[in-house]
Amino acid sequence: MRTLVTLTIGLVVAGWFAGEGAAHASDYSHVCRTIDDQYEIDDGVLVRKTDRDRNAIPYETLRETVLSRREGYCIARGQQFKFESRSYALRIRFRDNGRPVELEALCELAADGLPAAYTCEREVVTREETGGVTDRPVQPTSGPSHWSHNGSVMRLEANGADRRFVYEVPRRGLVEAGVKPGDTVFEGRREGQTYTGAAYIFTRSCGRVGYSVAGNVSADERTVVLEGQAPLMGEDCKPRAYRRDRLQFDLTKR
């Protein structure tokens, strides 16, 4: 039997670091936002965003899907400083003022122990993965359907619960940015009417950049709308900020 819990994920970030780096503050963020943008989970505590008192709401986690994970360390001044980033989707259930609520939330965890005064001399990645993501073609269980998305022609490939939108005919501006037919813009899973997974933006300097998204397919099966927090990349190809992104795919041909 599931029990209502307030999720607590403990990362004692300071304990990661050795030597003089341990005396420096590190960057740590662990935030989830529901796709309706009404609630957020800050380091395991669910609150309504408009609640100034930040009253914690107990919740139950129904499903957790890891979308991407990256771990490793930077070598600086002869020391190792660990870093971790993780994107995942949660399906949560709770009661707000007596009203039952069930929502999808998109989560980002980032912990970087490199002190601000240090420069990473060499980055060593010890683990890097994206949940269910593969560069190999998906073998569809049924023929692909065609969709429109921001002026591009897309192909939806399905394999069981797995779903992937790929470019069939990218619009001109994307071609100039290096997007090619067959490149993936979304890959993940469908459960019921809900899609969760990773979407991708394409940049000239940083290449393909993924971020977590979730959304629903319409009742007539002709529209898929996904939302997430797309990263705005800095010159070092690391996220400097995030913007709310909305992707819509409209069926044109089965």
Side-chain angles (χ1 to χ4, degrees):
M1 177 183 297
R2 294 189 179 97
T3 56
L4 289 176
V5 297
T6 298
L7 177 67
T8 302
I9 299 179
L11 280 179
V12 184
V13 178
W16 284 10
F17 316 126
E20 66 178 294
H24 295 263
S26 60
D27 293 329
Y28 173 73
S29 174
H30 188 188
V31 177
C32 305
R33 295 180 176 86
T34 57
I35 60 174
D36 66 353
D37 205 32
Q38 299 298 307
Y39 304 87
E40 67 181 16
I41 306 172
D42 190 351
D43 204 16
V45 180
L46 173 68
V47 298
R48 175 178 277 278
K49 293 179 68 174
T50 56
D51 182 3
R52 294 183 179 180
D53 296 327
R54 309 286 290 179
N55 292 304
I57 303 172
Y59 65 94
E60 176 185 9
T61 299
L62 303 178
R63 183 184 66 249
E64 177 177 330
T65 304
V66 175
L67 304 173
S68 64
R69 178 184 287 119
R70 191 168 188 266
E71 299 174 2
Y73 57 88
C74 271
I75 298 176
R77 302 187 188 183
Q79 302 175 66
Q80 294 183 6
F81 300 91
K82 290 188 179 181
F83 62 81
E84 177 188 4
S85 62
R86 181 160 59 98
S87 299
Y88 60 100
L90 288 180
R91 185 72 178 180
I92 60 174
R93 183 164 58 199
F94 56 95
R95 301 187 72 86
D96 188 4
N97 293 323
R99 178 175 60 92
V101 181
E102 187 172 317
L103 288 171
E104 201 83 27
L106 302 176
C107 306
E108 299 286 343
L109 180 149
D112 182 357
L114 186 69
Y118 286 36
T119 300
C120 182
E121 299 161 9
R122 184 163 67 92
E123 183 180 88
V124 178
V125 178
T126 58
R127 181 177 186 180
E128 186 168 21
E129 60 187 45
T130 303
V133 173
T134 174
D135 290 331
R136 299 187 300 274
V138 173
Q139 298 300 320
T141 54
S142 60
S145 53
H146 292 86
W147 303 65
S148 64
H149 169 62
N150 284 348
S152 298
V153 178
M154 311 298 300
R155 184 173 72 251
L156 175 61
E157 299 175 345
N159 181 13
D162 294 339
R163 295 291 186 272
R164 184 166 72 161
F165 279 108
V166 301
Y167 285 105
E168 185 121 314
V169 184
R171 71 177 188 272
R172 181 176 178 179
L174 292 175
V175 173
E176 293 171 354
V179 177
K180 305 179 298 298
D183 283 345
T184 300
V185 72
F186 166 82
E187 50 195 339
R189 294 179 63 82
R190 174 175 176 171
E191 296 186 19
Q193 297 298 104
T194 300
Y195 277 58
T196 58
Y200 298 93
I201 55 176
F202 295 81
T203 65
R204 288 186 176 87
S205 56
C206 302
R208 190 175 77 157
V209 179
Y211 60 102
S212 57
V213 294
N216 296 305
V217 58
S218 62
D220 62 4
E221 301 282 333
R222 300 189 64 87
T223 301
V224 176
V225 177
L226 306 172
E227 294 186 345
Q229 297 292 322
L232 301 175
M233 311 303 289
E235 294 181 358
D236 57 358
C237 289
K238 293 183 179 180
R240 293 305 183 197
Y242 292 87
R243 62 176 175 82
R244 189 174 181 181
D245 197 20
R246 185 178 186 272
L247 298 87
Q248 180 169 326
F249 303 88
D250 296 299
L251 180 67
T252 59
K253 180 181 179 182
R254 293 193 184 277

